[in-house]
Amino acid sequence: MVEAGAWWTVFAAPAMLLGLAVMAMAGAAALDARCAGRPVTPGTLVRPFLAVPRALLSQPRRLPAPDRLLWRAGVVTVPVAAVLSTLVIPFGNHVVADLSVGVVWFNAMEVLTWAGLWLAGWGPNSAFSLVGGYRFLAQGLAYELPLMFALISAATGAQSLRVADIAGAQHGLWYAVWMPFAFVVYLAGVLAFSFLGPFAYPAGRDVAGGVLGETSGVDRLLLQAGRWLWLAAGAAMAVPLFLGGGAGPGLPDWAWSLIKTLLVLGLLVHVLRRLPVIRADRYMELAWVVLIPLAVIQTLVPALVDL
């Protein structure tokens, strides 16, 4: 079932994920500055990280009758699940755990975010955070099935659930070329389970921050970090699923994996500032009426080709 990678990959994978998340946050800060007409300076890039020391030193917010155990469990689950998802993501020829069901593992870790954010919304015993938790569940009901069909399309094309097999099956033609709808749906799913940009509805300003509204200190830092870690993990997973993995001329496999990951991550960060927030009920109607039927048709394409 599992072919373990070298011991150092256990530490390299989370470090790589953290580095990608930091670059994504810095890129988002630069785009914010440009949209506001401010010059982009080194100080602009480090501004999002200046709040980290304050968060580490600040006292947690105290509310009447919270469920602290569930609250803390939900807050920790989001970043931990993002880190665990990287165990099956290959960078070139290096992977922590080459699971035969790697696609299922990645999807299972993503689904853990549902539980984490729901608990983070339920635990504080606050109306706004509870609404935010419900919003993410509603949003999940909309994006999860199209996302699963996008993953199934890539797995069907390779006739394997092992992520390395999917990357290796794309010699000569990337799946993003002949499965473009699945690729786009997957990228939308990455934004959705990161609850960023157009899918930031669970943390909306109209409900005082929703799932983030009652968090402070280390708890808020963990939830915010989890969002960007998931964005980076989703960008990294897009490379072996749809962009041929580390295949490319002239450079080592790991270098091509990194370059492709940065390009996908840059695209996602750019989209964050270009699309408005989508209400969960509107997106659910679009998903169930339009996206799911098209995703099923997209899945049939590689199935018929393989047959």
Side-chain angles (χ1 to χ4, degrees):
M1 290 286 291
V2 179
E3 297 178 7
W7 65 269
W8 55 267
T9 59
V10 177
F11 304 99
M16 178 72 73
L17 182 66
L18 180 60
L20 292 171
V22 167
M23 285 188 283
M25 293 180 66
L31 290 178
D32 284 342
R34 287 188 59 187
C35 291
R38 300 193 303 267
V40 178
T41 63
T44 303
L45 301 180
V46 301
R47 184 173 298 172
F49 310 103
L50 297 179
V52 173
R54 292 195 298 269
L56 293 174
L57 296 175
S58 64
Q59 293 294 323
R61 184 174 300 177
R62 300 187 182 279
L63 298 167
D67 193 324
R68 297 189 183 277
L69 178 60
L70 295 183
W71 192 4
R72 296 295 183 273
V75 166
V76 172
T77 295
V78 178
V80 169
V83 172
L84 291 177
S85 72
T86 64
L87 298 182
V88 297
I89 302 176
F91 264 80
N93 297 323
H94 303 292
V95 63
V96 179
D98 189 18
L99 295 177
S100 61
V101 289
V103 173
V104 178
W105 172 269
F106 181 83
N107 190 230
M109 294 301 102
E110 176 266 317
V111 171
L112 278 180
T113 307
W114 286 40
L117 280 179
W118 165 247
L119 293 177
W122 172 272
N125 191 28
S126 171
F128 287 146
S129 63
L130 182 61
V131 171
Y134 272 119
R135 284 182 171 185
F136 188 78
L137 292 182
Q139 185 168 282
L141 291 174
Y143 83 79
E144 187 61 38
L145 276 178
L147 174 64
M148 290 178 67
F149 278 114
L151 297 174
I152 291 171
S153 296
T156 302
Q159 302 184 49
S160 175
L161 291 170
R162 179 178 276 113
V163 181
D165 290 346
I166 297 174
Q170 300 177 55
H171 290 302
L173 186 64
W174 293 350
Y175 285 168
V177 176
W178 68 288
M179 301 182 195
F181 183 77
F183 183 50
V184 172
V185 167
Y186 172 80
L187 294 182
V190 172
L191 293 176
F193 60 64
S194 304
F195 57 108
L196 286 166
F199 298 100
Y201 192 55
R205 295 180 180 178
D206 59 319
V207 285
V211 291
L212 299 174
E214 300 298 343
T215 57
S216 61
V218 177
D219 294 335
R220 187 176 185 86
L221 183 62
L222 286 173
L223 274 182
Q224 290 283 25
R227 303 174 81 178
W228 292 98
L229 288 172
W230 264 120
L231 189 74
M237 189 63 166
V239 175
L241 287 181
F242 295 100
L243 300 176
L251 296 176
D253 291 347
W254 65 267
W256 275 114
S257 292
L258 180 59
I259 291 171
K260 295 175 184 179
T261 300
L262 290 175
L263 290 175
V264 174
L265 189 60
L267 174 64
L268 292 174
V269 171
H270 180 72
V271 169
L272 295 181
R273 299 296 179 271
R274 294 295 179 180
L275 297 178
V277 175
I278 305 173
R279 280 172 39 185
D281 58 330
R282 299 287 180 84
Y283 182 57
M284 186 176 295
E285 181 178 2
L286 173 66
W288 284 80
V289 176
V290 179
L291 297 185
I292 291 179
L294 291 178
V296 173
I297 295 173
Q298 175 71 96
T299 306
L300 288 175
V301 172
L304 293 174
V305 170
D306 289 337
L307 182 63

